């Protein structure tokens, strides 16, 4: 009988902390958004516009983190921990340099970037956006290092560390936000300072833990001189396609956000709250996505392709079960949850309709559209999901959004309809790729 690389207990130790990490992080993030929404709709609108840009930039950091973690995981599966540590060390250095460069650009060209992307939005919305963008931009190096460290711990199968640190970071965020927003009346500035402070503390904690020599992967040296181009190339084979894919995906969302910004403050606020609720609905799927990368990368590194297929099927079933349970709850309590955000009746009604439509669709389509392609990336097959995601974002989501808003006249609701159509098209391509088996021939180490 073949020895399984991941027992049921090992999978449970990986998945359960990831579920708690995602649930707590997003729930606390929702609380932070509620706190900002208590100020006014201009504040929540400004913050939401900046978050669209931040997510685009975070996708770059996450792409490098995932690329390095996949390489490190494949080396672990192959029984080469020294090379896994080399990949990890260089990953931290390169990602930090990239994040620092982006921070400088974001701080220097704060107003120009916002004006270029969103055009002539209302003055009070722009002021909130500028303030929040300044503060969060300063946190980019910290969140980049945090994401890399978390990805490396997950590559080792240790999700408990990332869970604990995520909880600490988000509790700090909410506590500092409460003090500065309500105690000192700092408003959006207080929310930005809270994000900056909590991310640097969490980053320092993760970096310290990653120095532990008892770990299979540890990092104690941070030197540009230690960078090996051959190792970086392996990381880039995953990171570049994933980064391009994520960036194009988020850029498409920003283009759509600009369309929404022209529909008025109520539409912007409704979209922001719908995004928050959508993130919560994805908690089970997102956790499985992260677990899948760890499991498949090690299986591919060990050349255990049949086990990789078996675990992909098992984790897909878990993803569907979790997405069903979470989204049924959201459907039942949609009105009550949206009501927490203190929106105007117009914005609240729009958000409720979006959330209902989104939740029904997520149950059936989301895992095929987002969980399955992570299996391809973990095996080294990153170019295919990149190509599919970019093309469907441009020609389906963005194109259909313009059609739904300006031709059909559905407003912001039409943007979300276009997104669901995009999911369906993506899923078809990913299922065909899965059945072809070509993803099994892309191992990187």
């Amino acid at each position: 009988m073949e020895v399984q690389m991941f027992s049921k207990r090992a999978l449970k130790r990986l998945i359960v902390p990831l579920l708690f990490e995602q649930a707590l992080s997003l729930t606390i993030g929702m609380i932070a958004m509620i706190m900002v929404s208590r100020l006014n709709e201009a504040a929540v609108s400004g913050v939401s516009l900046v978050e669209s840009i931040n997510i685009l930039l975070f996708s770059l950091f996450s792409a490098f983190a995932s690329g390095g973690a996949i390489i490190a995981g494949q080396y672990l599966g192959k029984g080469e921990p020294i090379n896994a540590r080399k990949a990890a060390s260089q990953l931290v250095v390169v990602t930090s340099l990239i994040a620092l460069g982006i921070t400088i650009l974001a701080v220097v060209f704060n107003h120009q970037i916002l004006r270029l992307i969103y055009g002539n939005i209302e003055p009070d919305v722009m002021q909130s956006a500028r303030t929040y963008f300044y503060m969060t931009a300063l946190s980019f190096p910290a969140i980049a290092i945090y994401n890399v460290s978390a990805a490396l711990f997950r590559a080792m199968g240790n999700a408990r560390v990332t869970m604990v640190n995520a909880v600490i970071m988000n509790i700090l965020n909410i506590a500092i936000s409460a003090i500065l927003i309500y105690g000192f009346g700092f408003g959006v500035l207080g929310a930005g300072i809270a994000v900056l402070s909590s991310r640097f503390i969490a980053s320092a904690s993760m970096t310290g833990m990653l120095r532990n020599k008892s770990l299979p992967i540890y990092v104690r040296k941070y030197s540009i001189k230690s960078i090996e181009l051959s190792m970086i190339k392996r990381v880039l084979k995953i990171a570049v396609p994933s980064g391009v894919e994520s960036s194009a995906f988020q850029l498409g969302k920003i283009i759509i956000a600009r369309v929404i910004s022209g529909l008025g403050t109520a539409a912007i606020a409704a979209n922001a709250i719908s995004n928050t609720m959508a993130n919560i609905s994805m908690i089970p799927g997102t956790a499985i996505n992260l677990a899948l990368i760890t499991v498949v990368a090690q299986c591919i590194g060990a050349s255990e392709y049949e086990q990789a297929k078996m675990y992909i099927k098992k984790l897909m079933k878990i993803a569907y079960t979790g997405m069903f349970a979470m989204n049924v709850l959201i459907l039942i309590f949609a009105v009550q949850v949206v009501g927490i955000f203190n929106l105007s009746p117009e914005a609240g009604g729009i958000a409720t309709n979006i959330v209902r439509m989104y939740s029904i669709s997520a149950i059936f389509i989301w895992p095929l559209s987002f969980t399955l392609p992570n299996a391809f990336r973990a095996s080294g097959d990153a170019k295919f999901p990149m190509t599919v995601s970019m093309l469907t974002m441009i020609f389906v989501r963005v194109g259909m959004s313009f059609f739904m808003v300006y031709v059909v006249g559905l407003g912001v609701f039409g943007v979300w309809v276009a997104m669901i159509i995009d999911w369906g098209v993506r899923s078809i391509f990913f299922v065909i790729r899965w059945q072809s088996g070509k993803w099994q021939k892309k191992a990187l180490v």
Side-chain angles (χ1 to χ4, degrees):
M1 182 178 176
E2 185 180 34
V3 177
Q4 293 190 356
M5 293 186 64
F6 291 86
S7 64
K8 288 183 179 180
R9 184 178 180 184
L11 286 176
K12 185 177 180 180
R13 285 203 306 266
L14 180 62
I15 293 171
V16 172
L18 287 172
L19 282 170
F20 276 103
E21 176 188 344
Q22 296 300 309
L24 290 170
S25 296
L26 290 171
T27 301
I28 293 174
M30 183 179 73
I31 294 172
M33 184 64 78
I34 292 171
M35 293 171 66
V36 173
S37 72
R38 297 296 176 186
L39 299 172
N40 49 62
E41 284 194 356
V44 74
S45 297
V47 169
S48 71
L49 293 178
V50 172
E51 281 301 308
S52 295
I53 300 173
N54 287 345
I55 291 171
L56 166 63
L57 298 175
F58 294 167
S59 69
L60 292 175
F61 309 147
S62 296
F64 274 90
S66 296
I70 287 168
I71 300 300
Q74 289 193 10
Y75 273 125
L76 285 182
K78 196 176 181 181
E80 298 181 9
I82 293 177
N83 280 328
R85 291 193 284 272
K86 283 184 180 179
S89 176
Q90 294 174 51
L91 178 66
V92 173
V93 174
V94 172
T95 307
S96 300
L97 292 173
I98 292 171
L100 182 60
I102 293 174
T103 290
I104 293 171
L105 290 174
V107 170
V108 173
F109 299 105
N110 172 289
H111 188 227
Q112 292 88 338
I113 292 171
L114 291 170
R115 182 69 68 189
L116 174 66
I117 295 173
Y118 296 116
N120 295 316
I121 56 178
E122 297 173 18
D124 53 350
V125 175
M126 175 59 80
Q127 184 57 49
S128 295
R130 290 195 66 188
T131 300
Y132 193 68
F133 195 26
Y134 269 124
M135 300 310 301
T136 55
L138 294 174
S139 75
F140 290 166
I143 197 63
I145 294 172
Y146 175 87
N147 283 342
V148 167
S149 302
L152 291 172
F153 273 108
R154 287 191 288 266
M156 292 182 274
N158 188 345
R160 185 175 180 276
V161 167
T162 65
M163 176 190 73
V164 172
N165 277 275
V167 171
I168 292 172
M169 177 172 65
N170 286 284
I171 289 177
L172 283 172
N173 185 11
I174 205 72
I176 297 172
S177 291
I179 293 171
L180 296 182
I181 292 175
Y182 299 129
F184 291 89
F186 281 10
V188 172
L189 175 62
I193 294 172
V195 168
L196 176 64
S197 304
S198 60
R199 284 176 178 170
F200 267 98
I201 293 171
S203 177
S205 174
M206 290 289 279
T207 303
M209 291 181 177
L210 201 58
R211 293 176 61 84
N212 186 348
K213 285 187 174 181
S214 66
L215 297 172
I217 301 175
Y218 60 84
V219 180
R220 297 183 68 87
K221 294 181 180 179
Y222 308 95
S223 173
I224 298 176
K225 295 180 180 179
S226 67
I227 292 177
E228 296 178 11
L229 291 179
S230 60
M231 186 70 74
I232 294 300
K233 285 180 180 178
R234 292 190 182 97
V235 174
L236 292 179
K237 283 185 178 179
I238 297 293
V240 169
S242 297
V244 171
E245 174 190 345
S246 298
S247 298
F249 189 78
Q250 296 302 330
L251 185 59
K253 291 180 71 173
I254 288 175
I255 293 171
I256 294 168
R258 178 161 186 166
V259 172
I260 295 171
S261 69
L263 300 176
T265 302
I268 297 173
N271 186 65
I273 301 312
S274 298
N275 277 319
T276 299
M277 293 303 300
N279 287 334
I280 292 174
S281 80
M282 293 185 294
I283 287 172
T286 304
I288 299 303
N289 288 357
L290 297 172
L292 196 64
I293 289 175
T294 298
V295 173
V296 175
Q298 291 197 29
C299 288
I300 296 297
S303 299
E304 292 286 352
Y305 298 103
E306 289 304 314
Q307 287 204 46
K309 290 171 67 176
M310 180 267 291
Y311 285 121
I312 292 168
K313 292 177 181 178
K314 180 180 291 188
L315 290 169
M316 283 291 291
K317 290 178 182 178
I318 296 173
Y320 264 107
T321 302
M323 290 295 287
F324 176 83
M326 178 63 75
N327 283 278
V328 166
L329 284 175
I330 291 174
L331 274 171
I332 294 172
F333 298 105
V335 175
Q336 291 82 352
V337 175
V338 170
I340 295 173
F341 290 93
N342 196 37
L343 297 176
S344 64
E346 179 187 1
I350 296 170
T352 300
N353 289 333
I354 290 173
V355 168
R356 285 171 172 163
M357 185 266 296
Y358 177 97
S359 296
I360 293 171
S361 304
I363 292 171
F364 299 102
I365 312 174
W366 197 93
L368 284 176
S369 185
F370 293 97
T371 302
L372 185 57
N374 263 349
F376 303 155
R377 297 183 189 101
S379 70
D381 185 20
K383 289 183 180 179
F384 183 81
M386 174 195 73
T387 303
V388 170
S389 297
M390 287 180 62
L391 291 176
T392 59
M393 169 56 78
I394 295 169
F395 294 107
V396 181
R397 186 176 299 195
V398 174
M400 289 297 295
S401 291
F402 278 91
F403 178 78
M404 292 291 180
V405 171
Y406 297 118
V407 178
V408 181
L410 289 179
V412 67
F413 184 82
V415 169
W416 287 76
V417 172
M419 182 184 70
I420 302 304
I421 296 171
D422 173 41
W423 290 1
V425 176
R426 283 164 52 95
S427 297
I428 292 170
F429 282 102
F430 292 145
V431 169
I432 292 172
R433 186 67 167 185
W434 162 260
Q435 293 176 337
S436 74
K438 292 180 180 179
W439 58 274
Q440 300 177 64
K441 304 172 184 178
K442 304 289 184 177
L444 296 172
V445 304

